[in-house]
Amino acid sequence: MSGKRAWLAVVAGLLLGCPEEPAPPPPPPPPVADAELPGLYEALTDGDTASEEAALATIEAAQDRRFIPVLMELLRAGQMGIAGRAGYNQRLITLERLSGQPLGGDWFAWAEWYATTDFVPPPGFASWKGALWSRIDPRFGELLDDDHPARIRVEEIDWGGVGFDGIPSLDEPTHVAAKDAGWLDDGEPVVGVAAGGETRAYPLRIIDWHELVNDSLGGVPLSLVYCTLCGSAIAYDGRTPGGEPRRFLTSGLLHRSNKLMLDRATRTLWNQLTGKPVLGPLAAEEIELALLPAVVTRWGDWRERHPETTVLSIETGHARPYAPGMPYGAYFQSPQKMFPAPGLRDELPDKEWVFGLDYEGEVKAWPLAKLVEARVTNDWVGREGVVLVALEGRVQVDGRSPDVGRVRYEAGGAVRAYLRGEREFSLGPDEETLRDSTGGVWRIQEEVLLGPDQVLTERLPGTLAYWFAWQAFHPDTAIDVPEENE
């Protein structure tokens, strides 16, 4: 047999021996019809085990993955005690089958996994969730509603463990002169804020308990908003475009372990870390709160720089044990998060301190440890030259926690950032000045760098926070990591 004929025989044999083409898989079942949704939502939460099991069977038969966040919500509600426990196991089984994720009852794992997906819940989800969470506090139902504009996924909103306004804000509190704050030790951490040519210190031992201060400084309405979970204390200019002051309260709700604050006038939820409205009437608008210069530093360092400063009075009108470390000292000391937040970036440990800048759409963060070691850092945010000054070191706190007794933890550290243009700066003749490459001396002020011949360069208010929080809301951030982390 010639080579050609042999080759043809081989081909023919292969063809004759080929199995038939496999039959195409059957089409997936149609999703649950919209007309059925109200009945399913009710059956899942009406407390009747039989109707809940029938609803779960309907969802599983339809393989309708839109119900993954619904089932997750039921899982969380069961753990919070606002949904019956009788159907808990079947909810979990249906959730695992529908999602393909064998995560069991680990709510952290479910929430952080879901944050990386693009699922969309069925119509009516937000109002259903609001009705369910009304079992915690009726006012949650007013906030979580399908009719409200939203910039975030309502599925990712979590309960922070307190009711609406459950952590009382300080509204127009009393202040005292520095000389009258003898109860405040030099080494204690404070948030120092500058506005309208004036300065004020807010001791962390007080704002740990309140997390929100609606105040005015130098004629500027401000809101100091402290997310203890994220380690971020941020001062916002509280003026509306019309000049009226915004006043915020604690909603009791979280998003990615970040505090959602509520402005009282419009009933809009705002993200504490970004200063943007996320759910409610103003969420449809492209607006953002303006940052004011603020630093976390020691009281003694702040007072030395600003002897004329005022300080938040310890006489707040609330009965609280205002001692360092109370009530979050154990959390501050721990490397663990308290609530879920997705780990979208892993260059640093979750609770590593970073200082972040968001300037004209360019975002960058630096590990606090690296800035403190360098003391003066010349760098870039996009194409803009910046200088970062960290002369006061890292603030350590010796305190007490109601959970573990004595604690020692870090509260962050002062970083001040300024525009520098093409200039290169180094430390000046003292720690209140910088020197440029021509030898010119610039004085470090809270709102500007004051240079030779009264030349000014602008302060860039930044954010000190845990890495997990910064990257959760700035997933595309540039970061200047230490070499050992690269």
Side-chain angles (χ1 to χ4, degrees), residues 364 366 371 374-380 385-389 418 420-427 434-436 480:
K364 189 167 185 178
W366 295 260
L371 295 178
R375 307 194 77 198
V376 178
T377 301
N378 295 282
D379 209 335
W380 302 86
V386 298
V387 58
L388 302 107
V389 185
Y418 304 87
R420 65 179 177 90
E422 299 295 325
R423 303 179 187 90
E424 292 281 330
F425 285 102
S426 58
L427 187 61
L434 298 179
R435 193 186 301 277
D436 65 28
D480 186 12

Side-chain angles (χ1 to χ4, degrees), residues 288-368:
E288 184 176 346
L289 298 173
L291 288 167
L292 294 171
V295 292
V296 175
T297 187
R298 299 176 191 84
W299 166 236
D301 291 331
W302 179 259
R303 191 186 64 238
E304 184 176 351
R305 283 184 180 274
H306 306 288
E308 77 293 346
T309 188
T310 54
V311 59
L312 179 65
S313 172
I314 199 168
E315 300 297 330
T316 65
H318 296 270
R320 298 288 189 277
Y322 293 127
M326 302 283 281
Y328 292 102
Y331 173 74
F332 296 147
Q333 183 178 247
S334 168
Q336 304 300 319
K337 295 175 288 187
M338 192 179 294
F339 290 90
L344 306 176
R345 303 277 295 271
D346 61 1
E347 291 94 331
L348 296 171
D350 282 343
K351 289 174 78 173
E352 180 89 6
W353 286 102
V354 299
F355 178 81
L357 289 174
D358 184 348
Y359 182 69
E360 295 188 347
E362 298 287 344
V363 181
K364 189 167 185 178
W366 295 260
L368 175 63

Side-chain angles (χ1 to χ4, degrees), residues 40-47 52 69-85 91 107 124-146 154-155 157 159 253:
L40 284 177
Y41 279 136
E42 182 178 0
L44 290 170
T45 52
D46 66 4
E52 180 180 348
V70 176
L71 295 169
M72 286 179 54
E73 200 63 55
L74 285 171
L75 183 70
R76 179 65 166 150
Q79 294 173 348
M80 294 191 299
I82 57 173
R85 295 284 300 182
R91 295 170 204 153
W107 170 248
F125 173 83
S127 295
W128 171 77
K129 177 171 180 169
L132 181 61
W133 283 32
S134 291
R135 299 174 183 180
I136 302 172
D137 190 312
R139 289 164 292 189
F140 288 162
E142 301 169 11
L143 303 179
L144 305 177
D145 191 288
D146 282 275
V154 177
E155 314 93 278
I157 293 178
W159 179 44
L253 305 177

